[in-house]
Amino acid sequence: MSGQEKALKTLAVVGCGVIGNGWAARALAAGLDVRAWDPDPAAGERLYAAIDTAWPALQRRGLAEGASRDRLHFTTDLEQALEGADLVQENAPERLELKQTLLARLDAELPTSVPIGSSTSGIKPGELRAKCQRAPQRVLVAHPFNPVYLLPLVELVGGEQGADAALQKAETCYRQLGMRPLRVRREIEGHIADRLMEALWREALHLVNDGVATTEEVDAAVVYGAGLRWSLMGTFLTFHLAGGEGGMRHMLEQFGPALQLPWTRLQAPELTPELIERVAEGCEFQAAGRPVAELEARRDRFLTELLAVVERYWPEAEGLEGRI
Amino acid sequence: MSGQEKALKTLAVVGCGVIGNGWAARALAAGLDVRAWDPDPAAGERLYAAIDTAWPALQRRGLAEGASRDRLHFTTDLEQALEGADLVQENAPERLELKQTLLARLDAELPTSVPIGSSTSGIKPGELRAKCQRAPQRVLVAHPFNPVYLLPLVELVGGEQGADAALQKAETCYRQLGMRPLRVRREIEGHIADRLMEALWREALHLVNDGVATTEEVDAAVVYGAGLRWSLMGTFLTFHLAGGEGGMRHMLEQFGPALQLPWTRLQAPELTPELIERVAEGCEFQAAGRPVAELEARRDRFLTELLAVVERYWPEAEGLEGRI
């Protein structure tokens, strides 16, 4: 972006818990001015401490030109925090009424051209905007993942009220923060990522509740197996590879029937011809003409590099066998 | 293990599809003799090709002393394949009757001291053994993950018929193959890992079926977010860190109520005091006295290294933006 006008020079962080602090750290490392607000004066100290904790990792990732921890300003005065902000990121606790009231206040005070992203895990944009009077469409879901200063995903949900302009602007801002915006087509509780994680989490709780496994056994079942693939490819492309040269189509023939089996507490959708087509075509788009063998070779090169890294971090490297 | 007697010198691989071939590659790289059987003569050619495909990755991982692709012998004669085997790995298609018949034949022909591991994704040991007459207890679930020659997890399920001796011996063998055996306490359809993966997979299918997201959007929601953490820590330890210094106990207070929300199609268990205790104590055991800040610092060091690796493999590195 150097040499051209940047959309985002100042980020206002509204609400300084773990997530808000993560946004502040990411923005500082990207060379921005950050103005942070929290009603609790003690939050300021925790914010500065969190930035210090995150900073070594951000330095290893590479700081942007001009990046400095000195460009952080904390205040308990909301109006002051919003001054000059190009983007506002709201990170209040996940309580609907609280967020609605705070977002209405932000909407009332900010120029209508400033997008407001909410770090909500699961609330839909239509609900977030309910009390906003001026420009409700610029209130968006912008849901990041912990640690925000390292994980690139941000889910953007504009909702049904035509938030295209705000979405466009917000997307540019988040890309400038080094993130990967994922636009979610439809308002849905939990967006996309948290629906997936929540399904895993609920099944994991059932396993522990039923006495099938301990927490560390459940974690080990992820970490030493499928978890190794999930930073490179998701469930769909993974199964595309499991299908061999026939890809997802063959995989659905072979493992589709397992959807009928009581392998989880969750009921699966029926594998209609339409669903099969949608899934198979999706995977073929993702494969982009690359044969499965090529995708496998790329996966294997990645996995050997990943294993060399992660083996140094697994608990057994610290003599804590199995405590994953 | 060098200098001492090894439990496993010869592995018999029974059934040569993607999984059987993966076992053969892993065992050859570990310096074993491998005898492989498949009723289809054409499977032999595919097996040798699969070994050649896997070999560069295995070389990068480091071959054991004496490891050689020449130590692979393929035959369509089952008796010949079983000769001298210290461990037999069965990888027939996932059809109960077929597996039961094949396992009964293996049980009839093999010395009773030889453990028989079945690579079944979801069938319980009690069902697998149903037709075995001689030593049914040595028939175990030994469920690996694709690619078998790189992913270390193997789920071992002994079932309720007292398979302790066979389990012990099998576990030693799998460790010799560089794997991480996870003993599953109870027989349950889908064991542990596939219950978790199946929950994710079913939720993902619902999202695509409902038109909420495409396959690549679902995959992106994993890969650029939570998927980055899953090779280091599972759901439980991840949420322990999300709880800040209060760990899992605080996290359950804060996000436990989300279990009531319709964030997935899956119903969650009730968060009883007993379940809370079991989960919190499990996480505290996993943390092994390390404060959350220490676990976070370790996670961040890992993530910066992981990002440096995986960014070179994500599709955008090949100009295929978003096709994850």
Side-chain angles (χ1 to χ4, degrees):
Chain A
M1 301 281 291
S2 70
Q4 71 186 90
E5 190 60 18
K6 288 182 182 172
L8 183 56
K9 291 174 191 155
T10 302
L11 175 74
V13 170
V14 171
C16 295
V18 171
I19 296 298
N21 296 348
W23 278 109
R26 176 177 278 276
L28 289 170
L32 268 64
D33 290 306
V34 175
R35 304 179 71 83
W37 171 86
D38 198 279
D40 178 4
E45 213 169 301
R46 289 195 298 268
L47 167 61
Y48 284 98
I51 304 290
D52 287 343
T53 301
W55 209 250
L58 290 165
Q59 284 179 310
R60 282 192 299 272
R61 292 283 294 153
L63 301 175
E65 210 186 305
S68 164
R69 282 177 280 187
D70 296 340
R71 295 174 67 182
L72 172 63
H73 175 70
F74 176 82
T75 170
T76 54
D77 178 329
L78 184 58
E79 266 179 64
Q80 223 187 78
L82 302 180
E83 235 166 66
D86 304 304
L87 173 72
V88 175
Q89 189 70 32
E90 172 272 310
N91 322 282
E94 194 75 354
R95 295 199 300 275
L96 182 58
E97 184 124 355
L98 178 73
K99 280 199 185 272
Q100 284 177 334
T101 306
L102 181 58
L103 288 165
R105 202 173 146 198
L106 297 176
D107 180 44
E109 299 201 5
L110 286 161
T112 56
S113 63
V114 176
I116 304 171
S118 171
S119 304
T120 177
S121 317
I123 305 171
K124 298 189 281 190
E127 296 172 312
L128 291 172
R129 292 172 186 154
K131 294 185 183 165
C132 293
Q133 303 277 348
R134 271 175 86 208
Q137 298 84 345
R138 49 87 171 260
V139 175
L140 309 168
V141 168
H143 176 226
F145 295 81
N146 189 46
V148 179
Y149 50 92
L150 291 177
L151 301 195
L153 183 65
V154 57
E155 289 180 305
L156 293 183
V157 200
E160 284 141 30
Q161 291 174 40
D164 284 356
L167 271 174
Q168 195 67 42
K169 189 161 178 187
E171 184 167 336
T172 306
C173 292
Y174 294 117
R175 284 194 190 276
Q176 200 186 310
L177 290 172
M179 302 181 90
R180 317 219 104 252
L182 173 63
R183 289 219 201 174
V184 182
R185 292 157 197 266
R186 276 181 43 195
E187 295 194 65
I188 181 175
E189 291 91 352
H191 325 313
I192 298 173
D194 277 1
R195 289 188 82 88
L196 300 170
M197 278 195 276
E198 191 77 14
L200 203 70
W201 168 233
R202 290 178 186 198
E203 193 68 35
L205 282 176
H206 278 298
L207 287 169
V208 172
N209 197 41
D210 296 346
V212 172
T214 65
T215 62
E216 77 273 15
E217 287 164 354
V218 169
D219 279 1
V222 169
V223 169
Y224 298 119
L228 286 164
R229 301 180 300 220
W230 277 329
S231 56
L232 179 68
M233 53 178 92
T235 306
F236 285 107
L237 202 59
T238 296
F239 284 173
H240 183 67
L241 269 66
E245 276 312 321
M248 179 56 90
R249 283 176 205 281
H250 177 64
M251 192 277 168
L252 286 176
E253 273 168 41
Q254 200 175 353
F255 289 102
L259 290 173
Q260 308 299 326
L261 299 175
W263 279 13
T264 114
R265 300 265 193 157
L266 173 66
Q267 293 301 308
E270 193 196 340
L271 270 187
T272 60
E274 292 73 28
L275 180 54
I276 290 175
E277 209 45 42
R278 201 179 280 183
V279 167
E281 279 182 6
C283 288
E284 284 151 14
F285 172 77
Q286 291 176 254
R290 294 168 295 179
V292 166
E294 185 183 326
L295 294 170
E296 279 174 347
R298 174 171 149 273
R299 174 200 65 194
D300 286 0
R301 285 195 305 274
F302 165 70
L303 284 174
T304 52
E305 291 197 53
L306 171 59
L307 284 166
V309 172
V310 75
E311 280 170 348
R312 290 185 283 111
Y313 288 96
W314 280 340
E316 48 270 37
E318 301 179 64
L320 293 166
E321 175 71 28
R323 299 199 195 182
I324 210 66
Chain B
M1 301 280 292
S2 72
Q4 72 186 90
E5 188 62 17
K6 289 182 180 170
L8 182 58
K9 290 175 192 155
T10 302
L11 175 73
V13 171
V14 170
C16 294
V18 171
I19 296 299
N21 296 348
W23 277 109
R26 176 177 277 275
L28 290 170
L32 267 65
D33 290 306
V34 175
R35 305 179 71 83
W37 171 85
D38 198 279
D40 177 4
E45 213 169 300
R46 290 195 298 268
L47 167 62
Y48 285 97
I51 303 291
D52 287 344
T53 300
W55 208 250
L58 290 165
Q59 283 178 311
R60 282 192 300 272
R61 293 283 294 154
L63 301 175
E65 210 185 305
S68 163
R69 281 179 279 186
D70 296 339
R71 293 173 67 182
L72 171 63
H73 175 71
F74 176 83
T75 171
T76 54
D77 178 331
L78 184 58
E79 267 179 65
Q80 225 187 76
L82 301 179
E83 237 165 65
D86 304 304
L87 173 72
V88 175
Q89 189 70 33
E90 171 273 310
N91 323 281
E94 195 74 355
R95 295 200 300 273
L96 181 58
E97 184 124 356
L98 178 73
K99 280 200 185 273
Q100 284 176 332
T101 306
L102 181 59
L103 287 164
R105 202 174 147 197
L106 297 176
D107 180 44
E109 299 202 3
L110 286 160
T112 57
S113 62
V114 177
I116 304 170
S118 171
S119 304
T120 177
S121 318
I123 305 172
K124 298 190 281 190
E127 296 172 312
L128 291 171
R129 290 172 187 154
K131 292 185 184 165
C132 293
Q133 303 277 348
R134 272 176 85 208
Q137 298 84 345
R138 47 91 170 257
V139 175
L140 309 168
V141 168
H143 177 226
F145 295 81
N146 190 44
V148 179
Y149 50 91
L150 291 176
L151 302 195
L153 182 66
V154 57
E155 289 180 304
L156 293 184
V157 200
E160 284 141 32
Q161 292 174 39
D164 284 356
L167 271 174
Q168 194 68 42
K169 189 161 178 187
E171 184 167 337
T172 306
C173 291
Y174 293 117
R175 284 196 189 276
Q176 201 187 309
L177 290 172
M179 301 182 91
R180 316 221 104 250
L182 173 63
R183 288 220 201 175
V184 182
R185 294 159 196 264
R186 276 182 43 196
E187 295 194 65
I188 180 174
E189 290 89 353
H191 325 313
I192 297 174
D194 276 1
R195 289 188 82 86
L196 300 169
M197 278 194 276
E198 192 77 13
L200 202 69
W201 168 233
R202 290 179 186 198
E203 193 68 34
L205 282 176
H206 278 299
L207 288 168
V208 172
N209 198 40
D210 296 347
V212 172
T214 65
T215 62
E216 76 273 14
E217 287 163 356
V218 170
D219 279 2
V222 170
V223 168
Y224 298 118
L228 286 164
R229 301 180 301 221
W230 278 329
S231 56
L232 180 68
M233 53 178 93
T235 306
F236 286 107
L237 201 59
T238 296
F239 284 172
H240 183 67
L241 269 66
E245 277 311 320
M248 179 56 89
R249 281 176 206 281
H250 177 64
M251 191 277 167
L252 286 177
E253 272 168 41
Q254 199 174 352
F255 289 101
L259 290 174
Q260 308 300 325
L261 299 174
W263 279 13
T264 114
R265 299 266 194 156
L266 173 66
Q267 295 301 307
E270 193 195 340
L271 269 188
T272 60
E274 292 72 30
L275 180 53
I276 291 174
E277 209 45 43
R278 201 179 280 183
V279 167
E281 279 181 6
C283 287
E284 283 151 15
F285 171 77
Q286 292 176 253
R290 294 168 295 179
V292 166
E294 185 182 325
L295 294 171
E296 280 174 346
R298 174 170 151 272
R299 174 201 64 193
D300 286 359
R301 285 195 305 275
F302 166 71
L303 284 175
T304 53
E305 292 198 53
L306 170 60
L307 284 166
V309 172
V310 75
E311 281 171 347
R312 291 186 281 110
Y313 289 96
W314 279 340
E316 49 271 36
E318 302 179 63
L320 294 166
E321 176 70 32
R323 300 199 194 182
I324 210 69

